[in-house]
Amino acid sequence: MRRSVDRSFHTSWRAEEIREEARSQAREEGRAQGFGEVVPLVLAKRQLEVSEEVRRRVTDCRELDVLDLWLGRAITAAAAEEIFDDE
């Protein structure tokens, strides 16, 4: 005897809300990862030495507003560590 499975949740508004929240979070994580890769690249292209500590701190960060601040500072910093000034 076959039992039918209730699949109504998978098509409900709540399920769609959960899926959209997951997609949004994945997009934000992707942007943070991209910033985390770009900041050390900008510093290196400016021929500044990027220590492993600086690289790790930047790539571990997932706060877009902080990464955006660091990217702005990376454009003008005299040394890689200066992107963290005032923190």
Side-chain angles (χ1 to χ4, degrees):
M1 174 182 238
R2 286 181 94 171
R3 291 186 175 180
S4 65
V5 176
D6 180 7
R7 297 176 192 261
S8 61
F9 175 76
H10 299 288
T11 59
S12 72
W13 66 269
R14 180 67 181 134
E16 183 56 34
E17 189 176 85
I18 291 168
R19 283 190 292 272
E20 181 54 37
E21 186 176 316
R23 285 190 291 267
S24 178
Q25 184 177 357
R27 283 190 297 272
E28 187 167 320
E29 288 173 5
R31 284 192 296 269
Q33 182 179 358
F35 269 90
E37 293 170 0
V38 169
V39 172
L41 180 64
V42 168
L43 293 166
K45 290 291 185 181
R46 295 190 53 239
Q47 300 186 6
L48 298 176
E49 185 177 332
V50 181
S51 69
E52 281 305 311
E53 181 181 341
V54 169
R55 187 177 305 281
R56 180 196 47 77
R57 186 168 172 190
V58 171
T59 58
D60 286 352
C61 183
R62 291 292 174 250
E63 297 178 44
L64 287 173
D65 56 334
V66 172
L67 289 163
D68 185 49
L69 175 66
W70 291 346
L71 179 58
R73 290 176 177 175
I75 295 168
T76 60
E81 293 76 13
E82 286 183 12
I83 66 171
F84 306 125
D85 282 357
D86 300 326
E87 290 191 8

